[in-house]
Amino acid sequence: MHIAIIVLAVALSVGLRLVVPVQAIAGGYDDLLFIRLAESLCRGDWLGPYDNLTLAKGIGYPAFLCASSWLGLPLRLAEHLLYLLACAVSALAVRGVSGNRSIATGTFVALVLVPIFWGADLSRVIREDIYISLSLLVVSCAALAYVADADQPLRRRLPALLGLGVAAAGYWLTREETPWLYPAVGLLVLCWLVVRWRALRKAGLLFSRRGLTALAVPVVAPAAVAGGVILTVCMLNLSHYGVFRDNDFRQGPFVAAYGAISRIQYQTPWKRYLAFPADARQAAYSASAAAAELQPFLEGPKGLAYMSSGFGSYDTTGFMWVLRDAVADIGGYGNAGKADAYYRRLAAEINAACDRGIIPCLPARASFMPPGHPGQIAETLASAYDFYLKAAGFRSGPVGARPSIGDDATMRRFAAIIHSPPTPLDGGSAPGDIRVVSGWAYSPTGPLSIGADQESSPVKLDLQPAGDVLKHFGIPEAAALRFRAVGPASAALTVIQGASVARLPLSAQPGSTTGADGGIALHVDQSTSPQSPADHIGGNPINDIVSSIYRTIGPWLVSCSLIWLGLTALWSVLRRRTIDGLLVVSLAVTAAFAMRILLVSFLNVTALRSDYHYLYVSPAAPFGILIVACAVATLWQQVKPTVA
């Protein structure tokens, strides 16, 4: 009966996952970057030519893309097979600590049907699609190896230990914010060490060769596997690029340079997500020759293109990418050694100016986190409530993927790697498609005029003053206009300033900047189509029903389970003065769930706004299922003697 239920649940979960197609986004910092790196791996060219993005993100997801493509598997199927493996290991761990096969089967079914993968945020080619599975695998393998099968011989536990090592390596190489799982895994390992230490001491074997081996091997084995994989990646990067690291955002002088920039104090009124405002930039230019090299980029049209409309400055969400692009613009990424040398020089010059009191600065730091601000702890806790509801409600937004963004050539690149067609383009590329394009035009030397490229072009044009653009450049004789144009994708706008002429096709994508030759700068803020496909593509009524069930009962079940587990833990510690394996696993999965929510909440109020989507909180959701499973198991243990 259990096998039949599991088979049906797997079949249903695969079907519900595959009816949601893949959205392709031609964005260089995420989706398209992963495709580019996977293409290089599949060609046997490691990560390809070196530039400012080659080591910007971990190799974990590109390697997975390459492996699934090499096997000929559709990306969504490959990702779901990995998730099914994580669910199976989690169910085995639950069965091991609860001794109840029915609870383990229910856990597996609840995990495989969780609806977080069906929404638009996770329908992209994005690393969270495997990061969720890897996070679950790390904790589940640790629970299986150190608690559920703790009394088994080493050879029986070896698959879980080796699996922990492989999962930990993938987890480390996929995203950078690894510490949120440390308390959960640390608790499982620590409890196992305490139990084994006492048992060996009681048997008089603690300091014997046998005893030390029994303590060391289960800890060293997964660490050696994970370390071996990560070390191999670092060695390959050293061989190809001359730097021994897996990721520029985790190690290397880029972190030190960013930290040096962020320690400069400024008089600009503080606001959330503010990064490197104008007065801090001027201080950096005056104190550092390396920083001054970036001034044309950061203060010119190219830099302004990165600023959010209405924000008036760089923001912490994107400035790390602005900095890397600015260094690339001055030729700093000819090779990894040259880039490292520039960042070391930038950090050294700014830190030296700070230490000598030439410019006002905060204490030395090497971090991407902005300096603290009063009230952030209270704001984090308030934000955590919203993220708790998202994670406990297993929310993912409306079912289905959004239309793809890019061009036909880019869509073919995506399709070749993911082995399935992406969702239709937003507006397509066929003649007659209507585009709605908004942006700004700027000239430092005088008045501008904007019109349709040809008088016969049916373009509706609305022009407004662009005071925010003028304020940024600060040149009295400059001129700027904001525009909104509606017309065929084949049409174009013409901007004239004296003898300078710039042309902007309405087919241009957001972020496109043309005519930035010192005479005219054009930038596209947004480009959409009123004839674009449905907002969400894919899914079926079953997806909607399952999502509604999880969303409705999830917060209640998780909340009641947390209360029950808290009371059970207090009873065990205060009255029984003992903690069994089930309670240890309960505390571990609760720690993983809580730490992810707190981490995302803290980032949301300090550096990385994420309250408008479900992407970053999604790894917490499966742990909500495990919290409920552990609560049911502890309740069963209380009821079982009575039933018997």
Side-chain angles (χ1 to χ4, degrees), residues 439-441 448 450 461-470 479-484:
W440 51 263
L448 295 166
I450 304 178
L461 183 62
D462 179 39
L463 300 177
Q464 298 289 337
D468 57 332
V469 178
L470 290 174
L481 289 173
R482 285 200 169 274
F483 60 82
R484 183 179 184 274

Side-chain angles (χ1 to χ4, degrees), residues 33-408:
L33 174 60
F34 296 133
I35 292 293
R36 176 193 122 179
L37 298 177
E39 289 172 336
S40 297
L41 286 169
C42 290
R43 289 194 305 266
D45 190 25
W46 192 228
L47 297 177
Y50 184 79
D51 62 18
N52 59 315
L53 297 179
T54 305
L55 297 180
K57 298 198 174 184
I59 193 179
Y61 192 53
F64 183 87
L65 287 172
C66 178
S68 66
S69 179
W70 183 78
L71 293 171
L73 294 174
L75 176 60
R76 283 295 171 258
L77 178 59
E79 290 172 345
H80 198 62
L81 290 176
L82 178 63
Y83 181 65
L84 289 174
L85 174 63
C87 296
V89 176
S90 299
L92 288 174
V94 169
R95 181 179 180 181
V97 296
S98 68
N100 190 302
R101 189 178 181 185
S102 297
I103 295 176
T105 301
T107 301
F108 180 81
V109 172
L111 282 171
V112 300
L113 294 178
V114 73
I116 57 174
F117 296 102
W118 306 339
D121 290 334
L122 287 171
S123 68
R124 299 166 51 190
V125 181
I126 199 75
R127 51 186 175 173
E128 277 75 14
D129 280 307
I130 67 166
Y131 188 67
I132 294 170
S133 304
L134 292 170
S135 304
L136 187 59
L137 268 173
V138 167
V139 175
S140 298
C141 284
L144 194 60
Y146 297 116
V147 180
D149 292 341
D151 295 329
Q152 298 294 325
L154 181 61
R155 66 178 183 275
R156 292 281 301 275
R157 297 160 55 210
L158 198 58
L161 292 169
L162 297 180
L164 173 60
V166 173
Y171 172 77
W172 178 271
L173 294 171
T174 299
R175 283 196 63 90
E176 293 72 48
E177 72 281 7
T178 54
W180 66 279
L181 279 189
Y182 294 172
V185 176
L187 177 63
L188 294 168
V189 176
L190 179 62
C191 287
W192 176 82
L193 284 172
V194 169
V195 172
R196 295 302 300 162
W197 179 284
R198 290 176 175 175
L200 290 170
R201 187 177 64 177
K202 185 176 181 180
L205 299 173
L206 181 58
F207 296 105
S208 67
R209 181 177 179 181
R210 177 183 171 187
L212 293 176
T213 300
L215 282 176
V217 171
V219 176
V220 172
V225 171
V229 174
I230 297 169
L231 180 64
T232 300
V233 171
C234 293
M235 290 297 295
L236 286 167
N237 284 336
L238 178 64
S239 172
H240 285 80
Y241 308 120
V243 290
F244 183 80
R245 57 175 173 267
D246 65 273
N247 189 311
D248 284 344
F249 280 69
R250 183 178 278 124
Q251 310 104 9
F254 176 62
V255 182
Y258 192 95
I261 286 173
S262 64
R263 68 180 291 204
I264 299 175
Q265 291 184 300
Y266 50 82
Q267 299 300 316
T268 301
W270 179 88
K271 57 182 174 180
R272 189 178 297 178
Y273 312 128
L274 180 65
F276 208 30
D279 55 339
R281 296 198 299 272
Q282 294 303 321
Y285 302 149
S286 66
S288 165
E293 294 178 37
L294 305 179
Q295 186 172 5
F297 183 99
L298 296 178
E299 306 304 328
K302 293 180 181 179
L304 181 61
Y306 290 85
M307 293 188 184
S308 302
S309 177
F311 193 74
S313 183
Y314 295 111
D315 61 79
T316 52
T317 300
F319 183 69
M320 59 190 70
W321 303 108
V322 178
L323 178 58
R324 294 177 75 85
D325 285 356
V327 175
D329 190 68
I330 63 172
Y333 275 92
N335 56 65
K338 186 176 182 180
D340 280 7
Y342 174 82
Y343 287 125
R344 289 193 187 97
R345 183 162 62 94
L346 177 63
E349 290 175 355
I350 292 179
N351 285 329
C354 290
D355 295 342
R356 292 198 300 266
I358 297 175
I359 55 177
C361 295
L362 297 168
R365 59 201 319 272
S367 170
F368 293 112
M369 290 303 301
H373 192 268
Q376 287 181 340
I377 294 179
E379 292 175 356
T380 297
L381 295 177
S383 179
Y385 176 72
D386 176 60
F387 285 110
Y388 171 79
L389 292 179
K390 289 180 178 178
F394 312 101
R395 299 179 184 178
S396 60
V399 172
R402 299 186 184 99
S404 294
I405 300 173
D407 53 36
D408 291 336

Side-chain angles (χ1 to χ4, degrees), residues 516-570:
D517 56 359
I520 298 174
L522 282 171
H523 179 71
V524 178
D525 290 331
Q526 188 174 27
S527 178
T528 60
S529 173
Q531 295 180 350
S532 61
D535 289 340
H536 291 83
I537 304 166
N540 58 41
I542 300 178
N543 292 92
D544 293 325
I545 293 170
V546 174
S547 296
S548 178
I549 293 172
Y550 274 78
R551 185 170 59 251
T552 302
I553 68 174
W556 293 101
L557 282 177
V558 175
S559 299
C560 292
S561 298
L562 287 172
I563 294 171
W564 170 254
L565 290 174
L567 294 174
T568 303
L570 287 174

Side-chain angles (χ1 to χ4, degrees), residues 603-618:
L603 291 175
N604 180 62
V605 302
T606 56
L608 188 65
R609 187 183 176 191
S610 47
D611 56 0
Y612 62 95
H613 60 69
Y614 304 91
L615 197 62
Y616 297 144
V617 76
S618 57

